[in-house]
Amino acid sequence: MFPESTRLALTLIFACVLTACGESPSGNADNGDRAAPNPNPFPSTYQPLPSEDFLIRNATVLIGDGNRIEEGSVLVRDGKIAEVGANVEAPDGVEVIDAAGRWVTPGIIDVHSHLGVYASPAVAAHSDGNELTSPVTAEVWAEHSVNPQDPGFAAAMAGGVTAMQILPGSGNLIGGRSVTLKNVPARTTQGMKFPGAPYGLKMACGENPKRVYGTGKGQAPSTAMGNVAGYREAWIKAEEYNQDWQDYLDGDSDDRPNRDLELETLSGVLNGEILVHNHCYRADEMAVMLDIAKEFGYRVTSFHHAVEAYKVADLLAENGTCASMWADWWGFKMEAFDGVRENIALVDQAGACAIVHSDSAQGIQRLNQEAAKVIAAANRGGIPVSEESAWRWLSANPAKALGIADQTGTLEAGKNADLVIWDGNPFSVYTHAEEVFVDGALVYDRNDESRQPTADFMLGIIEVDGEIK
Amino acid sequence: MSRINMGAVAIFLLAGSLPGAAAGAETTAITGAKVYTMGPQGVIEDATIVIENGRISQVGANAQVPAGAEIIDAGGRPVTPGIFDANSYFGVAEVSLVEETVDLFQSGDRYTASFELSEAINPRSTLIPINRIEGVTRAMVAPDANFMPELYTTPITGLGTVIQLGSTSDYVVAKNAALFVKMGETGAALSGGSRGNNVLRLREAFNDARDYAANRNDYDQGERREYSVSKLDLEALVSVLNGRRPLVAEANRASDIEAAMRLAEEFGIRLIIIGGAEAWIVAEQLADARVPVILNPLQNLPTAFELIGSTLENAALLHSAGVEIAFSTGGSHNARNLKQAAGVAVANGLPHDAALAAMTLSPARIYGVDSNYGSLEAGKEADLVIWSGDPLEVTSFADAVYIRGKAVPMESRSTLLFKRYRDLGGDWPPAYIK
């Protein structure tokens, strides 16, 4: 998944973001006596919540990789999936959950959320998602804007979401670093950070940067070509910076380069450690962005929104680039005018990695229903899509796009027990996520109010009939 | 008459769009349907609906199919009235961020209560086919300051018109059927910054209208005091005071809803609440005063301080308290997803039949167009949908849609784009596929 041009000498600087060392608040990486900057100054402090082993039996199990087991079993031990099969025996002392009539799936992973960076209520003081002071702000990190007390996290949990990528907004050409979170309540954002998840970089094509800067501020970029010049200028600077550090760490130069937060992040992309998530609606613009990636030796991990992905689904497949899409949003701006209901299925059919995303505190609560609408539209349009196959759009493919597929996204032995028990077919509007587990811990139970987290903001916020709620 | 002219007439007749011709002159019988009548007959299994001259002539298990009728076998599939979006921008906004295509708001206060959209509506908008092939057949098209509130200087937004989505002529069903105003946070922002001003401005306007109505001659001769709004606006306000039109007040916080109810009571106005996020808190008062609520069943986050009490159970709580509810999610590009929102309301406690009513009969009643639409009963216009399955289910879709008795072509810009790009990799660019 990394560009072939990865420069080994420099991986030390950024390697930690892809490995388990993310948990240790280590100091500077060591390369002889030449030190690279600490790649992980805000380490995850996430600890799994208390859990007990359990065995789910008699459930319709969607593995998440495209397979399905009727009347299947899922055994969870020590927060991990221990065994999945048609009939797993319960080890001694392990609680058995009879899930007859219910469905079990991997937890939903949303690759495109602004929870926390635009926390509810959406007052000006909570507008922390777009650093609209310069078209390239690779130096900002979304995690420093995340308010872990956003009530939207709990609402997403009730919709079966167990992990999500929080992105900066799309007003800038390069908006900054994303962060991948586990959907668990925590006092700090570090307490939600998905251990070992790589960082992402938010880039944006099209109308938004032009509107914010050209129309809004009378400065570049004001055109699509201005956008492209802006990306390329940034990457040229990043290449130079990257080379300077490489020379220094290799001992070819004795001048320790001055640190530059913007270029540090961009270098992380060039070295394959930070994954590019590129807001881009139009087919022709996606093709240009893929060429820019080739010019500078990085990969676009996923296009986001990608309303016209169906027009270049073959190109996405060729480039191994995912498209993260809505089921049916269209028409709210010019670049979204050509939406079709079959978009996600057409991308999938072409062999590209298709993802259902939300970009919405509302939509994130019902991503399973969004997938259901696509299944129906696709089947009606002559593109056969099964339920088990469609679940890849909700967990396995997003996990891949976030670089956490080795830990979550499918119900396979050894992976984290991030899963949902649904009270029926999750592709029905009437179905609820009944129990949601993260690392084997029951973080949400629809039938038990004591297992329904609420944000501080919601506590004692309103009086109803003499009761403070 | 030349042969060419005769041909042109024949094409007009086939298309059913000859000016003056009654829509759907032919007779159609839909048989074997599970009919959700939304009327006194309730749900009828294996029923027949007979459509003559655009209207329903019979509904029931024993309906007689007239000789020569076109017979459509529903094969047990559900049939409901067409969906009615209780608040939309059909025909007055094409691409939301392309200002030239957006007519649903105005700037300044030259017009307030008299601002209307009936002449602004484009019945050839792409939004109409995209939504009607999924079962949306009627809509209230209302001005909306929320689109660009910074341009507004008045909380009195203007008049909304009910349309049907089946024809590019004759699409106005009820012109200027209701007056829309803003209260709550938006209303305050449009009234000088305080909810206090907001109520004052509305009260002042209605007081002026009341005075004007009693003294029209004096006003015309310049012998009346100056009013806060123009003559056109006064006339629109008078129509609300005399009960000819309802007042649709956007209010979400429980106290804002109560303020709207006090204002309505003060002037004897027929009130409809739109928004109503915290309406469940004052459900009993709303039921007692017979005030209907137009709500978005998906609204459950405290995205504003006036929305703190938002809950997915709002629709169910209001219904069980006896409040008439109708649905709108606000986004007309995807009004087709109203049925999903209704399904979510059912998943959160609303009875299935009440959810269907909130998209059909209830909005018709609220806007006073239920004599012709809203239920499948003899005499009403034949707006109906044959669904592939449960109409509220996300995996169901409309198999056939009739508006005023006429089957709509199941095609849209979106279906054509899909066909064009269905199979990539031909020798010629997709531009040649139409």
Side-chain angles (χ1 to χ4, degrees), chain B residues 304-368:
Chain B
F305 269 85
E306 66 182 354
L307 302 172
I308 280 169
S310 297
T311 166
L312 293 174
E313 293 170 5
N314 195 18
L317 292 168
L318 288 168
H319 173 74
S320 70
V323 178
E324 175 137 60
I325 55 170
F327 293 152
S328 179
T329 54
S332 304
H333 285 88
N334 275 335
R336 56 190 178 173
N337 288 338
L338 260 184
K339 72 187 192 76
Q340 180 186 7
V344 170
V346 172
N348 288 280
L350 184 70
H352 191 275
D353 58 345
L356 265 180
M359 303 190 296
T360 55
L361 186 59
S362 289
R365 272 207 295 250
I366 286 172
Y367 294 127

Side-chain angles (χ1 to χ4, degrees), chain B residues 376-421:
Chain B
L376 301 180
E377 295 180 76
K380 289 200 181 184
E381 291 176 351
D383 275 31
L384 55 87
V385 184
I386 305 175
W387 299 96
S388 66
D390 175 359
L392 303 188
E393 187 53 273
V394 274
T395 46
S396 301
F397 41 81
D399 278 334
V401 180
Y402 289 79
I403 302 180
R404 288 182 166 167
K406 212 173 101 181
V408 308
M410 298 300 274
E411 204 161 61
S412 71
R413 187 168 184 280
S414 180
T415 65
L416 293 175
L417 277 165
F418 169 58
K419 273 184 207 155
R420 173 171 279 192
Y421 286 95

Side-chain angles (χ1 to χ4, degrees), chain A residues 16-17 21-24 38-48 141-144 146 148 153 162-166 177-200 404 407 416 438-439:
Chain A
C16 282
V17 295
C21 71
E23 286 95 89
S24 72
N38 174 11
N40 191 30
F42 309 96
S44 170
T45 58
Y46 167 78
Q47 291 293 326
W141 298 27
E143 65 198 83
H144 303 137
V146 169
F153 287 117
T162 54
M164 68 210 100
Q165 173 172 236
I166 308 300
R177 281 197 203 202
S178 68
V179 63
T180 295
L181 302 178
K182 286 184 177 263
N183 197 12
V184 291
R187 287 178 294 156
T188 65
T189 303
Q190 290 92 324
M192 299 174 76
K193 283 180 74 174
F194 201 114
Y199 281 106
I404 53 175
Q407 297 191 61
N416 299 342
V438 174
D439 286 315

Side-chain angles (χ1 to χ4, degrees), chain A residues 173 206 210 220-233 282 285 288 292:
Chain A
L173 298 173
K210 286 194 299 176
S222 71
T223 60
M225 56 189 174
N227 284 355
V228 171
Y231 312 124
R232 297 177 76 207
E233 280 166 6
R282 259 169 46 182
E285 292 187 332
V288 170
I292 295 172

Side-chain angles (χ1 to χ4, degrees), chain B residues 142-371:
Chain B
D144 194 349
N146 287 356
F147 231 71
M148 213 159 278
E150 62 273 19
L151 291 180
Y152 262 70
T153 50
T154 168
I156 305 172
T157 326
L159 298 163
T161 283
V162 177
I163 62 166
Q164 53 92 4
L165 275 53
S167 163
T168 53
S169 55
D170 199 21
Y171 48 89
V172 171
V173 170
K175 182 176 170 177
N176 299 336
L179 176 65
F180 287 73
V181 300
K182 297 283 180 188
M183 295 185 71
E185 291 184 5
T186 311
L190 298 175
S191 307
S194 166
R195 285 171 164 86
N197 289 30
N198 180 228
V199 174
L200 269 177
R201 283 196 57 176
L202 295 173
R203 180 179 289 125
E204 182 181 35
F206 280 116
N207 271 325
D208 288 349
R210 185 185 266 173
D211 188 81
Y212 164 78
N215 302 285
R216 274 195 175 89
N217 287 342
D218 290 352
Y219 176 87
D220 288 342
Q221 290 161 27
E223 291 174 4
R224 213 61 206 166
R225 65 175 167 83
E226 197 175 324
Y227 294 135
S228 62
V229 292
S230 71
K231 181 178 168 71
L232 282 173
D233 297 329
L234 291 165
E235 290 289 355
L237 291 163
V238 167
S239 71
V240 173
L241 287 174
N242 66 21
R244 208 153 54 75
R245 293 182 178 126
L247 180 75
V248 187
E250 180 183 289
N252 282 293
R253 202 172 76 180
S255 66
D256 294 328
I257 296 170
E258 290 171 316
M261 291 173 71
R262 284 190 291 270
L263 192 73
E265 196 182 351
E266 180 180 339
F267 290 97
I269 287 169
R270 190 151 53 96
L271 178 68
I272 298 161
I273 295 293
I274 192 165
E278 293 186 354
W280 62 275
I281 296 174
V282 291
E284 286 183 16
Q285 296 98 295
L286 288 163
D288 289 347
R290 294 175 170 268
V291 173
V293 177
I294 298 165
L295 63 99
N296 175 2
L298 304 180
Q299 172 58 43
N300 73 330
L301 288 172
T303 45
F305 269 85
E306 66 182 354
L307 302 172
I308 280 169
S310 297
T311 166
L312 293 174
E313 293 170 5
N314 195 18
L317 292 168
L318 288 168
H319 173 74
S320 70
V323 178
E324 175 137 60
I325 55 170
F327 293 152
S328 179
T329 54
S332 304
H333 285 88
N334 275 335
R336 56 190 178 173
N337 288 338
L338 260 184
K339 72 187 192 76
Q340 180 186 7
V344 170
V346 172
N348 288 280
L350 184 70
H352 191 275
D353 58 345
L356 265 180
M359 303 190 296
T360 55
L361 186 59
S362 289
R365 272 207 295 250
I366 286 172
Y367 294 127
V369 296
D370 55 313
S371 59

